[in-house]
Amino acid sequence: MSDEIKCTPAKTTREIIRENMFPEEQEPLFNSGNLTKLRTKFEQWKNNMVRPGDRENWREAPRTVLGSDHPRELVYTPLNIENFDYQKYLGNPGQEPFTRGIHSNMYRGRTFTQRQLVGFGAPEDTNARIRFLLEHGATGINLLFDMPTIQMYDCDDPMSRGSVGSCGVSVNHVNDCELLFQEIDIARETVSIVTHYPSNTAILFPMYLVLAERKGIPWEQLKGSVQNDVTLEELVRNAAEYLPPRDCFRIECDNIEFIRNNVPRWNFITLNGYNLREFGTSGITEMAVAFSHAMAILDEMIRRGHDVDWVGERLAFFWSVGMDFFEEVSRLRAARRLWYKIMKYKYNAKNPRSMWMRCHVQTSGISLVREEPLNNIVRSAYEALAAILGGVQSLHVDSFDEAFAVPSEEASLLSLRTQQIMEHETGITKVVDPLGGSYYVESLTNQMEEMILEEITDIEEQGGYVEAVNSGYLLKKIYNYFYSEQKKIEQGDIEIVAHNWQKSTRSEDIESFRYPAEAEQKQLSRLQKFKSERDPHEVELALKALKDACQNGANIVPYTLNCARAGCTVGEQWKVFKESFGLWRRPGLF
């Protein structure tokens, strides 16, 4: 892609929404005369009954890990939402503006998918854990790759030594993918393939498609999602090698175009706020960056000649949910309403489904600590509760031992049982949006939406999402926030039980997960055998065709698909990308 001149759009997203949102007079829910009386009585109560110290500190910010530091009032009343128009701000579930949920009956119709993250060792190790969770009631698969696979090195690369099968499953080629899904019905199960990056998606997802071919399953039957996110490849990734952001964005859109055309039930991107937030941002920045990114995708796909509804109905998001309980509930509701407004007023979408903010949520790994690790069960459960009350479509609950290692089988089962208890024993799924109408929640939802929009405007003033990545603007914002956050924890401004408040004096001795010791050698032997049995001429031809596609601007995915069929490895295709696009040096930050 050619260099672009940074410019501010004629109108910001916020200006477009505001111009279109209220063409008619609002219909406030509350009677103005009653509000006047309430304001008088409220001020009397505040001046006569509330302690002077509380009046002086009427607004106080919760200090939580990766929170927004948005101050809250001591108590909320109709005065906080005095201009509240029920139809325009809230509405009914399954109807515009979707604040209360994307379906009219929400979890009474279909509960949230219970999709625990899995990945370690060799493919057969992860396969056994996937089948264990499915046998115990998991309703989706969530697959994580090891660091060499994520960074796109084969297991025999010197860079991979000591990391094969750690923090995820090792996959080098399509035969590994076949072992990974052995005895699993991928035509029936929904599969989240955590490919992270666009370049990795272009390499790994075609292997999954070839696996489906081998099983005789039409691509039209496949259901699931890939991440395919520039943010992860360029901002969150810690690696020695980066593709230039504009080329990375091109690969991302190639993936979207191919998947949307050929795998119609597949979510071609999961815009990943989660890893960005866990890397070091507030929940507001998490959503602002993801929405700005989504708009860049829509703009590019429209430029390529595609209809906005055709693209929008398969966009999905992935959020982190942390410890500020009411902010997390309100933030999810605000994001759903804001995405509806963006699609309706900025992009003139017509299909209600393309206006849905569909999302998977994972409880916050960064909120888990090593001290008294069983406390992490409580943390993850409250975060999961916030996610459900916020109306998510899919959920992963972190395990208490993740501060030490990959979750053990016992801890993974406990996380799954946490979801099942919430669904079947608490009654929270029987009422749609049970916190809707709360003065506090509605006021906070409004404020969250405004804060997200404000940060979207900041990104637009940088020239848009891709330019904000390329210039280093977003990276600097992340590092500044992370530094500030860590300083607050170290100084005790953010209190974490047993970690820096009521510090634990106990020595923890838990039976944490042990990686399969033989995984690396097993994968090395398997890769050597695979290379010796494939046709080297076919491999060479496939890689050359891929390089030509990279350089001539063709959609690269048909060529990576051909590479998968020919037996090219992850590392071999990554080398072609590096040779074709060159490497990008991140801008200096300080």
Side-chain angles (χ1 to χ4, degrees), residues 11-111:
K11 289 184 180 179
T12 65
T13 299
R14 179 163 53 184
E15 288 169 338
I16 293 169
I17 289 173
R18 285 181 174 173
E19 284 178 7
N20 287 276
M21 188 61 191
F22 296 114
E24 302 170 2
E25 190 175 342
Q26 294 188 64
E27 298 181 2
L29 185 63
F30 301 107
N31 179 281
S32 59
N34 288 342
L35 285 173
T36 300
K37 293 176 185 177
L38 174 59
R39 184 173 287 106
T40 300
K41 289 183 177 294
F42 182 77
E43 289 300 322
Q44 290 173 350
W45 169 83
K46 185 176 180 180
N47 292 327
N48 297 325
M49 300 294 294
V50 178
R51 295 185 308 173
D54 290 327
R55 287 201 302 272
E56 292 170 10
N57 298 293
W58 184 253
R59 304 177 79 235
E60 187 174 293
R63 294 295 180 90
T64 62
V65 176
L66 301 183
S68 69
D69 283 347
H70 176 66
R72 317 293 159 78
E73 299 188 18
L74 180 67
V75 66
Y76 284 75
T77 73
L79 296 172
N80 294 95
I81 52 171
E82 59 182 303
N83 294 318
F84 193 78
D85 184 316
Y86 182 88
Q87 292 299 332
K88 287 187 168 68
Y89 286 97
L90 199 56
N92 298 316
Q95 292 182 334
E96 301 176 8
F98 302 110
T99 313
R100 310 201 74 178
I102 61 174
H103 302 298
S104 60
N105 58 355
M106 283 302 288
Y107 303 135
R108 280 203 196 183
R110 180 182 176 183
T111 191

Side-chain angles (χ1 to χ4, degrees), residues 411-423:
S412 293
L413 180 58
L414 179 59
S415 292
L416 176 60
R417 295 302 192 216
T418 300
Q419 298 201 48
Q420 292 168 341
I421 288 168
M422 287 185 178
E423 179 190 358

Side-chain angles (χ1 to χ4, degrees), residues 155-157 519-529:
C155 69
D156 60 356
D157 192 294
E520 183 162 358
Q521 188 55 52
K522 187 185 293 183
Q523 284 298 90
L524 286 167
S525 300
R526 186 175 283 152
L527 179 58
Q528 185 179 23
K529 183 174 185 293

Side-chain angles (χ1 to χ4, degrees), residues 211-231:
L211 166 67
E213 290 176 347
R214 290 181 178 182
K215 288 176 174 281
I217 300 170
W219 293 351
E220 291 81 3
Q221 291 184 21
L222 300 175
K223 304 182 297 293
S225 60
V226 285
Q227 288 198 341
N228 185 33
D229 194 317
V230 171
T231 302

Side-chain angles (χ1 to χ4, degrees), residues 364-420:
S364 173
I366 208 74
S367 70
L368 308 182
V369 298
R370 295 170 68 93
E371 298 88 355
E372 298 180 16
L374 293 181
N375 294 339
N376 293 333
I377 299 171
V378 180
R379 293 184 175 101
S380 292
Y382 278 122
E383 291 167 351
L385 178 61
I388 296 167
L389 295 179
V392 303
Q393 281 62 66
S394 175
L395 180 60
H396 164 93
V397 176
D398 284 342
S399 298
F400 72 89
D401 56 356
E402 288 190 39
F404 294 87
V406 164
S408 65
E409 186 176 276
E410 179 186 20
S412 293
L413 180 58
L414 179 59
S415 292
L416 176 60
R417 295 302 192 216
T418 300
Q419 298 201 48
Q420 292 168 341

Side-chain angles (χ1 to χ4, degrees), residues 62 68 70-72 76 81 84 89-90 97-101 277 283-284 286-287 291 319-339 357 359 361 382-383 385-392 433-452:
S68 69
H70 176 66
R72 317 293 159 78
Y76 284 75
I81 52 171
F84 193 78
Y89 286 97
L90 199 56
F98 302 110
T99 313
R100 310 201 74 178
R277 188 181 187 189
I284 301 302
E286 172 192 20
M287 288 180 163
F291 281 2
W319 306 126
S320 168
V321 168
M323 289 299 292
D324 190 342
F325 184 86
F326 286 101
E327 176 172 302
E328 298 302 341
V329 173
S330 301
R331 199 168 60 95
L332 289 166
R333 298 170 85 249
R336 198 158 44 241
R337 186 170 69 198
L338 177 56
W339 184 245
M357 190 285 289
C359 65
V361 161
Y382 278 122
E383 291 167 351
L385 178 61
I388 296 167
L389 295 179
V392 303
D433 189 32
L435 296 182
S438 157
Y439 307 133
Y440 177 31
V441 170
E442 297 304 347
S443 175
L444 195 53
T445 298
N446 294 343
Q447 290 165 342
M448 292 292 105
E449 181 181 342
E450 278 302 309
M451 292 168 72
I452 297 166

Side-chain angles (χ1 to χ4, degrees), residues 282-342:
S282 72
I284 301 302
T285 299
E286 172 192 20
M287 288 180 163
V289 171
F291 281 2
S292 298
H293 185 182
M295 287 187 280
I297 290 168
L298 291 171
D299 292 341
E300 171 60 16
M301 298 307 288
I302 291 168
R303 188 194 69 78
R304 293 188 182 199
H306 299 295
D307 178 72
V308 67
D309 285 305
W310 183 79
V311 179
E313 67 179 4
R314 277 294 165 190
L315 279 172
F317 297 87
F318 175 27
W319 306 126
S320 168
V321 168
M323 289 299 292
D324 190 342
F325 184 86
F326 286 101
E327 176 172 302
E328 298 302 341
V329 173
S330 301
R331 199 168 60 95
L332 289 166
R333 298 170 85 249
R336 198 158 44 241
R337 186 170 69 198
L338 177 56
W339 184 245
Y340 151 77
K341 291 178 182 178
I342 290 170

